[in-house]
Amino acid sequence: MIQLASSVQTVRGACGHDCPDTCGWVVEVRDGVAQTLAGDPTHPFTRGTLCAKVNHYLDRVYHPDRVLYPLKRAGTKGEGKFVRVSWDEALADIASRWRAIVDETGAEAILPYSSAGVQGLVQEASLDRRLFGSLGCSALDRNICGAVAAAGLTSTIGTGTGIDPEEIVHSRYVVLWGTNTIVTNLHYWPFVREAQRRGARIVVVDPIRTRTAEAADWHLQIRPGSDAALALAMMHVIIRDGLVDRDYVSQYAIGYDALVDRVKEYAPERVSPTVGLPVADIERFAREYATIQPSLVRPLIGIEHHRHGAMQFRTLACLPVLIGAWKHRGGGLARSTHKLHFAVLDMDRVKMPEVQKPGVRVLNMRDLGKDLCDTNLRPPIRSVIVYGANPMVSMPNQRRIREGLMRDDLFTVVHDLFVTETALYADYVLPATSQIEHLDLSPAWGHLYLALNRPAIAPRGESVSNTELFRRLARALGRTEDYLFESDESMLRAALASGHPWLDGITYERLWEEGHARLNRPEGWMPFANGGFATPSGRAELYSDALREAGHDPLPWAGDIPSNAGLQLITGKQLHFLNSGYANMERHRRRAGELFIEIHADDAAARDVASGDAVVVRSENGEVHAVCRVSDRVRPGVAWMPFGGFADAAGERRSVNALTAEAPTDWGGGSGLYDVFVEVVHGLSHSSRRRRSGHHPDNMAGGHDAQGSHLMGIENPPDSGD
Ligand SMILES: Nc1nc2c(c(=O)[nH]1)N[C@H]1C(S)=C(S)[C@@H](COP(=O)(O)OP(=O)(O)OC[C@H]3O[C@@H](n4cnc5c(=O)[nH]c(N)nc54)[C@H](O)[C@@H]3O)O[C@H]1N2
Ligand SMILES: Nc1nc2c(c(=O)[nH]1)N[C@H]1C(S)=C(S)[C@@H](COP(=O)(O)OP(=O)(O)OC[C@H]3O[C@@H](n4cnc5c(=O)[nH]c(N)nc54)[C@H](O)[C@@H]3O)O[C@H]1N2
Ligand SMILES: [Mo]
């Protein structure tokens, strides 16, 4: 620690939120109390600024509603009445309930349910995998985010990642394809701007005119779910006009001739109504993309939440192959860097697959409601422990999840910092530490900097980190194996000791001193400049036997694009919330405003609703109350609602996932969250719900939250929202 004054210390850490930026931060602590938390100016990605949420992270740490002690349910499930109990009492009760379940129905009746609420090497997934894995509990397919994108890309290029995203500055044509960089990946924006400054054209493909689309050089407002059709039309033009890199394709790809046949069906004239773009735009986009090199496709996850999500990503991945974009520095495709970190760290040493019982059943996280309510499931789920996740808000079919969590015979434990929408249904709520109260190593999915998160203050109240919780549970269950009690530091050191050259010189001690280090990717690293795709054939697979064998179309395909009488509802990330988080904080709720739905003027007129009207939004699965916003950010036939932990206007904490269904994707195990169609009708208290004006539609930062926005290269910070 750097000693500033006798009792003031500064401690470096890293943000643990589920976000590609994984910012480095510096916490100033006086007498054991954190005074300030600011972006680390030495971190090349963070550049000294945080974001509209984490600027207020200390308000979360010291929030009066923090759960500081174990709580036991005192009312009915969902009612939110709890009493404080000791850790000993809670642990003893949980252990005895679990022992009984294991004896009666086997450990598979217990479902550990976690997501990426805390991202980090040991807090996200380590001792839990060892404990629950060795008990033989049901395993969880954690595929709601990124897995479908990765699976789709992998079928074409053998990986879900691509070039180092920082290489974008060498690109001359950048396609932000289904990603809202300014809102979800803010610290990447300066790199996009730098590319633009050096002459790159920035194109956004998104059905919504997001802040990012507004800031780009060109916005292609595509129909949702039709990206593969657009990519196929581009390939049609590229092939028709002789813009294929024949050398690259013949050396490093397979299936070219089959692709040529396939794209014949996708002439721009035919595709235009499907994608909702003029023929001239498709032609121009294809030609610019192919001829202005290096060109870069940058998707994150927006496209994957559709029933053909994997096929869409697989199809996108054909584009840079066809034009040989991988040969140019800054060219190709750049998506999550998750794999680059986790491939070099020794993750087996952390998760210890060898102690995990093989052959246990695997349940998909998106199916939580379905599985909890399934009376035919053998064994039934009799207990669920939720940590780092808030499925009542974030998983599809909220009504069914609630129905499941209401079951009298379900024993539910939730470990979190707050009594979340999910924790309301718990038998026990156990207090979790915040990121400034525990140790972790923080790999990033948006860049190559690996950071060490050092605890800056002691755990508040009786809160414990995830790893400490699992040690306590193991002890309460009478387990004695050393591997269940390994310290955080020991696991982190072991993970760093993989011997991988990209980790050379990146030691625990160095990270302790410097806070972060960039993986040693070689200067000018271009993973596929000379082929080397990790597919079954070793080449980029424009035609895939593996897909054919798995029962999918072996060639890129547009999919059957959903259509329906209603409005297709896209729900997306927003500035003031981090997934379900921050909705419990007054200032963030105020800035985000009431739950709203944006629809186009034509659709509003057809339904006789106007901006400010209270409306009920209905799908086949459920309904939520919202305020109507008539907006030209959306195209006719498409509606947008913000995803997050809102209390809906009826005050029932219904989230947008009250409208969605479990609907699996083609492959990759995700959910077609955005394939839902809704209707909008007048709500009850119509006149009383006239909206205040002044909220920017994209929840863009303003006022104090815009702090540092000039550094991010965002001009004209919009209105403040309050
Ligand atoms: N402020 C903030 N930042 C966040 C988060 C947050 O909640 N708040 N969440 C974090 C998480 S967990 C994630 S995964 C990332 C996600 O980061 P992104 O992938 O950038 O964000 P999303 O909002 O999921 O989707 C991106 C865009 O995809 C568009 N989209 C939807 N359907 C389609 C389609 O069919 N085609 C095309 N072309 N575009 C489509 C949406 O309109 C949206 O603008 O953000 C992270 N960062
Ligand atoms: N309709 C719709 N649904 C979506 C999406 C969408 O765009 N639209 N996006 C999807 C995506 S991309 C994602 S990633 C998921 C996110 O879904 P979740 O992962 O369920 O959402 P989070 O809000 O990130 O939940 C994290 C929880 O972890 C808690 N937490 C934070 N730190 C710790 C810790 O150290 N220990 C413990 N025990 N708990 C901690 C937080 O307080 C919070 O309650 O939602 C998905 N659902
Ligand atoms: Mo996500």
Side-chain angles (χ1 to χ4, degrees), residues 18 145 301 445 573 579:
D18 186 355
C145 175
I301 56 109
W445 51 280
K573 314 298 189 285
N579 298 332

Side-chain angles (χ1 to χ4, degrees), residues 176-230:
L176 302 173
W177 204 314
T179 178
N180 190 1
T181 313
I182 292 178
V183 170
T184 61
N185 187 191
L186 177 66
H187 296 81
Y188 193 44
W189 190 247
F191 295 87
V192 178
R193 296 283 291 163
E194 175 62 14
Q196 195 181 34
R197 202 187 58 74
R198 296 190 195 183
R201 192 171 162 80
I202 312 299
V203 184
V204 167
V205 183
D206 198 307
I208 314 297
R209 201 180 70 237
T210 60
R211 280 301 301 179
T212 310
E214 275 171 14
D217 297 312
W218 192 17
H219 175 207
L220 290 160
Q221 194 166 19
I222 191 173
R223 268 188 62 201
S226 70
D227 301 84
L230 176 60

Side-chain angles (χ1 to χ4, degrees), residues 224-260:
S226 70
D227 301 84
L230 176 60
L232 283 155
M234 292 169 75
M235 293 191 249
H236 178 100
V237 173
I238 290 168
I239 292 171
R240 182 198 68 200
D241 293 357
L243 302 175
V244 173
D245 186 331
R246 298 303 294 258
D247 261 10
Y248 190 86
V249 169
S250 65
Q251 284 189 73
Y252 305 129
I254 57 164
Y256 177 69
D257 293 340
L259 180 73
V260 170

Side-chain angles (χ1 to χ4, degrees), residues 592-626:
E594 277 176 286
L595 180 56
F596 63 90
I597 180 164
E598 277 183 276
I599 60 175
H600 189 269
D602 297 354
D603 293 320
R607 288 158 182 83
D608 190 29
V609 290
S611 271
D613 285 356
V615 292
V616 179
V617 185
R618 287 201 181 109
S619 75
E620 279 181 0
N621 299 287
E623 61 178 45
V624 294
H625 295 249

Side-chain angles (χ1 to χ4, degrees), residues 232-301:
L232 283 155
M234 292 169 75
M235 293 191 249
H236 178 100
V237 173
I238 290 168
I239 292 171
R240 182 198 68 200
D241 293 357
L243 302 175
V244 173
D245 186 331
R246 298 303 294 258
D247 261 10
Y248 190 86
V249 169
S250 65
Q251 284 189 73
Y252 305 129
I254 57 164
Y256 177 69
D257 293 340
L259 180 73
V260 170
D261 266 358
R262 172 56 57 94
V263 305
K264 284 187 185 136
E265 301 162 34
Y266 292 94
E269 295 71 22
R270 221 199 111 222
V271 168
S272 165
T274 311
V275 298
L277 299 170
V279 173
D281 283 358
I282 302 173
E283 292 270 352
R284 177 179 150 204
F285 184 35
R287 275 196 298 271
E288 286 185 359
Y289 169 74
T291 56
I292 305 177
Q293 293 298 329
S295 65
L296 181 70
V297 173
R298 162 68 173 184
L300 268 184
I301 56 109

Side-chain angles (χ1 to χ4, degrees), residues 40-71:
D40 183 349
T42 72
H43 192 294
F45 222 80
T46 304
R47 303 183 181 194
T49 17
L50 293 171
C51 66
K53 304 155 303 280
V54 182
N55 279 335
H56 309 282
Y57 192 78
L58 291 184
D59 296 346
R60 251 174 103 68
V61 172
Y62 293 108
H63 197 285
D65 295 343
R66 265 275 307 260
V67 179
L68 295 177
Y69 309 98
L71 301 174

